[in-house]
Amino acid sequence: MKWDLIIFDCDGVLVDSEAIGNRFIAEALTALGIETSTDEALGEFLGGKLTQIKISVEKKLDKNFQMTGLIKFTKSNLGIQKVS
């Protein structure tokens, strides 16, 4: 099949991805030991950036993370596998 058009919705206009994304953020924070519900994540991080989450995690755990280390740690704790 030949496609005439592909739309990439990277800003949430066509699909509201905030609830989905914040559910994963809540699961990741809980895996790090910061008990967080989806509603709490939405309240704190709605419309935010990954760096905002990183800063929040560092303050709550009193620990500094390299962004790649935090992402790898979170993926391994959530059982996320590389998709090829």
Side-chain angles (χ1 to χ4, degrees), residues 13-28:
V13 172
L14 299 177
V15 176
D16 182 8
S17 56
E18 284 283 352
I20 297 166
N22 278 281
R23 187 183 86 221
F24 286 110
I25 291 167
E27 290 176 12

Side-chain angles (χ1 to χ4, degrees), residues 3-67:
W3 297 93
D4 293 324
L5 175 69
I6 298 175
I7 298 174
F8 294 92
D9 177 32
C10 298
D11 62 357
V13 172
L14 299 177
V15 176
D16 182 8
S17 56
E18 284 283 352
I20 297 166
N22 278 281
R23 187 183 86 221
F24 286 110
I25 291 167
E27 290 176 12
L29 293 177
T30 298
L32 286 168
I34 304 168
E35 198 67 37
T36 307
S37 70
T38 300
D39 287 339
E40 290 169 330
L42 279 165
E44 187 171 350
F45 304 117
L46 182 67
K49 298 181 179 185
L50 189 55
T51 53
Q52 178 188 358
I53 298 166
K54 177 184 177 286
I55 291 166
S56 177
V57 168
E58 288 177 336
K59 285 180 182 176
K60 290 176 182 179
L61 294 178
D62 193 30
K63 189 175 190 177
N64 289 326
F65 286 98
Q66 293 294 323
M67 188 61 79

